[in-house]
């Protein structure tokens, strides 16, 4: 099983693309995950992907008229010919009928445009929790996910010990992994290498391992992963100075290596 590792551009807006893409390629990543660039920057973005032989997973999100924004942004993402698109979709506060109406529409647009969409398990979205996501997955057998279970951990204030059935269903539908470690009181531990978060790291790693196993069982030959830790203030900081407690680039790179090492043993 090959792990294709993607580097999110989140947290590096201050770094020019030319420098960032070179750094990503030199670190051994296979691709970039980021919001779709504006039309006037699309050519520059494409040239950098080609120069460094990097794949691209576009990120989109819905807002305003959620159906219209989904169609418009997915169509823009599709112009890059990606294998999959990561989407922050719909809203957590909608009633289930509204959520069902959105995803019925989204799946039709996905089929029409011929792009595989992974709806990210994310707070504030319809997939904010294990239980609501499972309800949607049962309603729509073709619905696919980006597994970022760190959000579910903080929403439920648990390591999902009592949500095994719902988590299992999500793992079946996961076509992309966001490998960030959450804890009961937040979506990102201060540093996943710290021994005081060993239990949280182990729980998340076990979920990722199982997703890989299920990919293998389906006869798939690769799995895509983004070690997507966030910058300050998502990352913990010191009071007053707001100095981050860890280096974002180093944490993401460490996690990429950690996952690659694990997958070799699966």
């Amino acid at each position: 099983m090959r792990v294709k590792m993607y580097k999110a551009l989140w947290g590096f807006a201050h770094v020019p693309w030319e420098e960032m893409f070179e750094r990503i390629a030199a670190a051994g990543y296979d691709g970039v995950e980021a919001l779709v660039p504006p039309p006037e920057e699309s050519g520059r973005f494409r040239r950098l992907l080609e120069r460094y032989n990097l794949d691209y997973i576009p990120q989109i999100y819905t807002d305003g008229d959620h159906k219209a924004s989904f169609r418009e942004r997915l169509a823009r993402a599709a112009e890059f010919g990606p294998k999959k698109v990561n989407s922050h979709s719909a809203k957590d506060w909608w009633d289930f009928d509204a959520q069902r109406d959105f995803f019925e529409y989204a799946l039709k647009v996905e089929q029409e445009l011929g792009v595989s969409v992974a709806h990210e398990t994310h707070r504030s979205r319809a997939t904010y929790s294990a239980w609501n996501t499972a309800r949607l997955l049962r309603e729509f057998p073709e619905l696919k996910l980006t597994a970022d279970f760190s959000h579910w951990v903080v929403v439920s204030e648990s390591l999902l010990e009592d949500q095994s059935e719902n988590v299992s269903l999500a793992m079946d539908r996961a076509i992309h992994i966001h490998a960030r470690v959450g804890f009961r009181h937040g979506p990102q531990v201060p540093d996943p290498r710290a021994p005081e978060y060993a239990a949280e790291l182990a729980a998340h790693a076990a979920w990722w391992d199982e997703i890989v196993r299920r990919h293998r069982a389906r006869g798939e030959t690769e799995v895509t992963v983004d070690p997507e830790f966030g910058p300050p203030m998502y990352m913990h900081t010191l009071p007053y100075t707001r100095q981050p407690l860890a280096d974002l680039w180093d944490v993401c790179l460490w996690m990429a290596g950690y996952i690659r090492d694990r997958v070799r043993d699966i």
Side-chain angles (χ1 to χ4, degrees):
M1 173 68 66
R2 182 187 177 195
V3 177
K4 295 194 74 173
M5 200 66 64
Y6 288 73
K7 180 70 191 75
L9 297 187
W10 183 31
F12 296 95
H14 60 291
V15 182
W17 282 349
E18 287 76 9
E19 179 182 337
M20 195 63 193
F21 278 58
E22 182 179 14
R23 191 178 185 189
I24 288 169
Y29 287 99
D30 299 287
V32 171
E33 183 170 348
L35 292 172
V36 179
E40 64 273 17
E41 294 287 359
S42 292
R44 176 179 164 222
F45 195 87
R46 289 176 188 273
R47 287 190 294 273
L48 287 168
L49 290 172
E50 292 170 2
R51 181 187 304 171
Y52 293 104
N53 194 30
L54 293 169
D55 291 339
Y56 176 40
I57 294 179
Q59 294 179 335
I60 64 172
Y61 61 93
T62 69
D63 58 8
D65 182 332
H66 286 255
K67 288 181 178 179
S69 64
F70 179 81
R71 173 179 283 279
E72 176 187 353
R73 290 165 186 165
L74 186 60
R76 282 276 296 117
E79 294 173 3
F80 288 83
K83 292 183 179 179
K84 64 190 71 172
V85 173
N86 181 66
S87 180
H88 287 206
S89 305
K91 295 300 293 183
D92 56 351
W93 56 266
W94 291 358
D95 63 35
F96 190 71
D97 286 342
Q99 292 178 356
R100 179 168 50 200
D101 180 62
F102 171 84
F103 283 104
E104 184 175 24
Y105 176 82
L107 287 165
K108 289 178 181 177
V109 172
E110 175 184 352
Q111 185 175 30
E112 175 188 327
L113 295 177
V115 181
S116 185
V117 179
H119 299 274
E120 186 176 344
T121 60
H122 205 287
R123 288 167 302 147
S124 89
R125 299 298 178 173
T127 51
Y128 74 98
S129 70
W131 52 91
N132 200 68
T133 303
R135 191 179 182 191
L136 288 165
L137 294 175
R138 293 185 182 102
E139 186 79 16
F140 298 106
E142 62 272 45
L143 193 65
K144 299 171 289 296
L145 300 176
T146 292
D148 188 343
F149 297 148
S150 66
H151 292 280
W152 290 357
V153 166
V154 64
V155 165
S156 67
E157 287 197 327
S158 74
L159 290 177
L160 305 173
E161 297 91 344
D162 57 354
Q163 293 285 315
S164 58
E165 183 177 342
N166 293 334
V167 173
S168 180
L169 180 56
M171 291 191 290
D172 276 343
R173 303 288 188 83
I175 63 168
H176 185 41
I177 297 171
H178 276 186
R180 183 174 57 251
V181 177
F183 66 118
R184 291 168 180 82
H185 307 298
Q188 179 169 303
V189 298
D191 191 324
R193 300 165 293 191
E196 58 266 36
Y197 294 105
E200 286 78 7
L201 175 60
H204 286 73
W207 296 324
W208 305 332
D209 288 352
E210 183 58 25
I211 291 171
V212 172
R213 290 190 189 96
R214 295 185 189 197
H215 273 62
R216 189 190 298 278
R218 292 194 294 266
E220 298 172 21
T221 58
E222 69 177 40
V223 59
T224 60
V225 180
D226 178 351
E228 193 211 34
F229 282 77
M233 300 291 289
Y234 212 91
M235 177 180 284
H236 288 221
T237 60
L238 292 171
Y240 303 104
T241 65
R242 295 191 174 185
Q243 290 299 304
L245 298 186
D247 181 275
L248 178 58
W249 175 267
D250 288 346
V251 167
C252 293
L253 190 60
W254 178 86
M255 182 58 76
Y258 174 81
I259 292 171
R260 282 197 175 109
D261 288 344
R262 292 185 68 91
V263 170
R264 289 193 190 102
D265 298 327
I266 293 177

